[in-house]
Amino acid sequence: MAQYLKTSKSLSERQQANKQVSIVVENTLADIEQRGNQAIRELSIKFDNYDRQDYRLSQSEINACIKQLSRQDIKDIEFAQQQVFNFATAQKGCLTDLEIETRPGVILGHKNIPINAVGCYVPGGKYPLLASAHMSIITANVAGCSRIVSCAPPFNGRPAPAIVAAQAMAGATEIYALGGIQAIGAMALGTDTIAPVDMLVGPGNAFVAEAKRQLFGRVGIDLFAGPTETLVIADETVDAEICATDLLGQAEHGVTTPAILLTNSLKLAQETIREVERLLTQLPTAEIARQAWRDYGEVIVCDSYEEMLQEADRIASEHVQVMTNRDDWFLANMTNFGALFLGPRTNVAYGDKVIGTNHTLPTQKAARYTGGLWVGKFMKTCTWQKVLSDEASTEIGSYCSRLCQLEGFSGHAEQANIRVRRYGNQDVPYAGSVPAADIEKAS
């Protein structure tokens, strides 16, 4: 049975916090919908201390941001974006249109169609997280989206140069220095100066994630990508230092970040707890990481690898770092995760920043039913059909007529009947059904 050496805040405490967030978001979105740009401006001043008439950046402002970066900064961004582009392009190659003749004269198919207008949120309140620009904007471009709007909050009272550069280099068609609920609301609902999008993507804090949740249906969303989560699955093939480093590497994201160690070694668990405390005396971002570890950190000791697997699927974490003597076994058998990082040579930061897989991933147990952001999220798979012969229309129509009447839908049945009359030369009573015997005669 799993043993908890360290537990996090209770579910009831988390739910209470979520309720407060939900109320704030609901009221804020209603205000944005009613007052548009004025509401957005007031929110930007209140939360980001940033005021301007139009939050869309001009080309000269974008160029000025790019010029603030060093040549090496630009090269590093280009390298990361190329990796994301390469993987997204390979993923798109897995999406193929379909056309098949399922019966003589009956052609069915599907098309993969890019979403027209997408809104890509890039978080940047505490840290300028430019990597989120690669993950969303480049992937949308590979999918073929024609309008790509990107919003990121100002950093220290002005547009974050690295984020703006990444947004522009990735190919955003509109860039706004706007963050939080106001950015999500503006992109989804539209304002006097911002046309609404069809879909919202990108990670963010609890307020951003809740805004996306409340707007879902009015617009599409990628997934519920809330505060970062990390799960480290380890045995004694690795040491406490690497486990603690990987836990704190994600805990620094925010004070509500769950960081969990799952192991079958009591010794490793105890040593990792001590190592976390040691590293917190050195980590520059320790103020945030310490609170996250205190309130949301967990250490779970299991009796076996099988129990570790069961616990991991129950947790359904966004990031799962696996460092054991059977990493491939976890890959083959785990079912609930946002992304897997297999072996000590890779880690979540590689995926977050540069390796090429997408870092916008499901949180809050959403990994039970969805994967992360990928090129397919920016596309709609839409079906089509056509019937090429009189005989095929008559055959399908005869079955359809009777099945419609079985459900009590006479109008539906008549859509089939009119075609059986015209293409099959059969006398079918209005709002009646095609007798089964007629099929035998026709065949």
Side-chain angles (χ1 to χ4, degrees):
M1 179 180 293
Q3 175 187 0
Y4 283 73
L5 297 193
K6 184 184 183 308
T7 58
S8 63
K9 280 188 174 184
S10 68
L11 180 61
S12 61
E13 289 178 290
R14 298 188 193 195
Q15 288 175 336
Q16 185 58 39
N18 289 341
K19 285 181 182 178
Q20 295 302 316
V21 170
S22 179
I23 292 169
V24 171
V25 170
E26 183 177 5
N27 293 335
T28 304
L29 290 176
D31 188 34
I32 291 171
E33 184 164 26
Q34 182 176 8
R35 297 194 300 126
N37 283 342
Q38 186 59 38
I40 286 167
R41 187 175 182 185
E42 291 172 9
L43 288 164
S44 182
I45 294 169
K46 178 180 179 180
F47 292 108
D48 293 320
N49 193 30
Y50 187 63
D51 182 26
R52 54 189 285 165
Q53 288 293 121
D54 185 355
Y55 287 89
R56 181 173 180 177
L57 299 185
S58 66
Q59 190 59 53
S60 61
E61 289 176 305
I62 294 168
N63 292 341
C65 285
I66 294 173
K67 287 180 180 178
Q68 293 181 53
L69 273 62
S70 70
R71 182 176 299 177
Q72 188 60 54
D73 291 337
I74 297 295
K75 285 183 177 180
D76 290 344
I77 292 172
E78 287 175 340
F79 178 85
Q81 292 192 345
Q82 187 64 50
Q83 309 321 302
V84 175
F85 175 85
N86 291 346
F87 190 65
T89 301
Q91 286 185 307
K92 188 179 181 183
C94 298
L95 294 171
T96 56
D97 291 350
L98 172 67
E99 181 174 328
I100 183 172
E101 188 171 19
T102 58
R103 298 282 295 172
V106 176
I107 310 298
L108 308 182
H110 73 225
K111 288 183 62 179
N112 295 293
I113 305 172
I115 293 169
N116 289 321
V118 298
C120 301
Y121 186 74
V122 180
K126 290 187 179 70
Y127 310 105
L129 300 179
L130 62 143
S132 289
H134 321 330
M135 305 296 171
S136 57
I137 299 168
I138 284 181
T139 311
N141 263 315
V142 171
C145 302
S146 56
R147 177 174 176 243
I148 304 174
V149 180
S150 186
C151 288
F155 185 70
N156 293 333
R158 64 191 181 95
I163 289 182
V164 174
Q167 289 169 312
M169 292 164 64
T173 56
E174 300 168 32
I175 299 174
Y176 296 84
L178 199 58
I181 306 171
Q182 57 270 31
I184 299 299
M187 289 190 288
L189 302 172
T191 71
D192 296 341
T193 56
I194 303 174
V197 299
D198 302 316
M199 182 180 182
L200 294 169
V201 304
N205 62 21
F207 293 93
V208 168
E210 176 62 17
K212 287 170 63 180
R213 188 191 70 80
Q214 292 190 18
L215 289 163
F216 177 54
R218 188 156 184 169
V219 293
I221 65 170
D222 49 356
L223 44 93
F224 300 128
T228 292
E229 306 164 350
T230 198
L231 171 66
V232 174
I233 302 175
D235 62 16
E236 289 191 353
T237 59
V238 291
D239 57 44
E241 182 185 25
I242 198 167
C243 292
T245 298
D246 287 341
L247 290 166
L248 293 178
Q250 294 302 300
E252 72 177 0
H253 263 285
V255 297
T256 59
T257 293
I260 304 172
L261 173 65
L262 184 60
T263 181
N264 56 1
S265 168
L266 179 61
K267 177 175 179 287
L268 180 64
Q270 292 170 334
E271 290 177 352
T272 299
I273 291 174
R274 290 193 292 269
E275 188 65 15
V276 166
E277 296 305 322
R278 185 185 73 82
L279 292 178
L280 282 172
T281 65
Q282 305 175 41
L283 187 66
T285 53
E287 182 179 356
I288 293 172
R290 179 177 287 108
Q291 186 175 341
W293 177 248
R294 181 194 70 202
D295 294 342
Y296 292 88
E298 295 183 12
V299 176
I300 307 171
V301 181
C302 295
D303 293 331
S304 65
Y305 289 101
E306 288 74 18
E307 188 176 42
M308 291 165 70
L309 176 67
Q310 184 178 6
E311 282 293 302
D313 274 339
R314 178 189 63 80
I315 293 165
S317 183
E318 175 190 18
H319 304 107
V320 181
Q321 171 92 35
V322 183
M323 297 182 289
T324 69
N325 66 5
R326 53 176 74 183
D327 298 342
D328 289 339
W329 180 81
F330 280 97
L331 173 62
N333 290 283
M334 272 196 72
T335 59
N336 297 336
F337 58 88
L340 279 180
F341 304 83
L342 299 167
R345 292 180 180 83
T346 190
N347 62 85
V348 176
Y350 285 7
D352 277 350
K353 309 302 178 187
V354 68
I355 208 166
T357 54
N358 207 290
H359 79 187
T360 302
L361 300 166
T363 64
Q364 301 173 12
K365 292 186 179 290
R368 293 171 299 139
Y369 56 83
T370 187
L373 184 61
W374 71 295
V375 70
K377 290 276 189 178
F378 291 101
M379 305 186 80
K380 305 170 292 184
T381 301
C382 303
T383 59
W384 56 268
Q385 60 173 270
K386 58 184 175 180
V387 177
L388 302 179
S389 68
D390 294 350
E391 293 78 11
S393 185
T394 301
E395 180 191 39
I396 298 297
S398 299
Y399 280 100
C400 182
S401 172
R402 293 192 302 279
L403 289 168
C404 290
Q405 292 293 11
L406 194 60
E407 294 179 346
F409 275 123
S410 296
H412 283 65
E414 192 53 30
Q415 288 181 270
N417 293 343
I418 193 172
R419 287 162 174 82
V420 173
R421 294 189 200 104
R422 292 189 179 188
Y423 301 117
N425 297 313
Q426 295 184 32
D427 185 15
V428 183
Y430 184 83
S433 62
V434 179
D438 285 351
I439 297 178
E440 296 173 5
K441 292 176 184 176
S443 62

